[in-house]
Amino acid sequence: MLETAAETPPDHRPAIVICAWDPEDAVWDPIEDLSGQPWNPVGARTIAVPGGEPDALAETLTAHLGDQYCRALLLVGRTRRSAHFRLQIRAENRSLDGVHRLTSVGPAVARATAPAADIVRALNEAGLAVDTSSDAEDDAGSYLLYRVLSSLPEGLDTPAVGLLRAPENTPASTVQRAVKTAAEAMARHLAPMPRSRAS
């Protein structure tokens, strides 16, 4: 009689980390039904990282992106500057309080690597108004975006990193829809993990 495998087979799908950085704002809930299983876009899997203290959170997110299975990061938070969703496409070299440079050796600006045009198109097709902006907001989201982007190794295999902001009074259900739409757009750009790399 053949023995059945007791272990769960490895998941070879590339991973997208989704992090709502403000622990006081339940803007993203990865569990969409009573199954207790996190939501996943087609062709990828999600890893939910809860918000927290910015320095510790930056280290956690950077560590995730150092994993060969993790191919993308979507930061999620709020904007006080727009009535639309806002895709921030760059971050400045600023300390958390915005008073001085975060590092004297890092670039002045770090550009997001997520597929911005595809995310905007997908959100618009879903009926969600969105703006792209190069202007950083003085909060933990901009700080985290710069910290993560400036720590990425250079090369062709750079993970996709983006920051999506929702207007302050947007209902959680609408934010959930926007996050899923953005993650789906990112997932379409992720190549399947090679067997030699995923094993």
Side-chain angles (χ1 to χ4, degrees), residues 4 15 17 27 43-44 49 51-52 60 79 91 107-108 114 117 120-122 136 138 146 157 164 167 186-187:
T4 53
V17 170
V27 70
V49 173
T60 298
T79 179
V120 168
R121 186 180 306 113
D138 294 330
Y146 182 87
D157 207 18
L164 180 67
M186 294 172 78

Side-chain angles (χ1 to χ4, degrees), residues 25-28 78 83 85 128 166-179:
D25 186 5
V27 70
W28 165 248
R78 299 285 183 173
F85 283 90
L128 300 167
E168 287 189 297
N169 298 318
T170 304
S173 59
T174 304
V175 179
Q176 295 270 60
R177 187 157 61 97
V179 171

Side-chain angles (χ1 to χ4, degrees), residues 43-69:
R45 59 190 170 90
T46 57
I47 299 171
V49 173
E53 191 277 322
D55 284 317
L57 190 53
E59 291 180 8
T60 298
L61 296 173
T62 298
H64 274 290
L65 290 175
D67 185 325
Q68 64 176 347
Y69 297 100

Side-chain angles (χ1 to χ4, degrees), residues 156-168:
L156 297 177
D157 207 18
T158 302
V161 177
L163 189 162
L164 180 67
R165 296 178 178 275
E168 287 189 297

Side-chain angles (χ1 to χ4, degrees), residues 17 19 21 49 54-66 70-75 91-92 102 107 110-113 140-154 158-163:
V17 170
C19 175
W21 68 77
V49 173
D55 284 317
L57 190 53
E59 291 180 8
T60 298
L61 296 173
T62 298
H64 274 290
L65 290 175
C70 185
R71 304 305 310 137
L73 164 65
L74 180 61
L75 293 165
E92 298 174 358
L102 175 64
R111 299 194 178 279
T113 55
S142 295
Y143 174 80
L144 289 168
L145 184 62
Y146 182 87
R147 282 278 307 267
V148 170
L149 288 171
S150 62
S151 69
L152 292 177
E154 294 193 15
T158 302
V161 177
L163 189 162

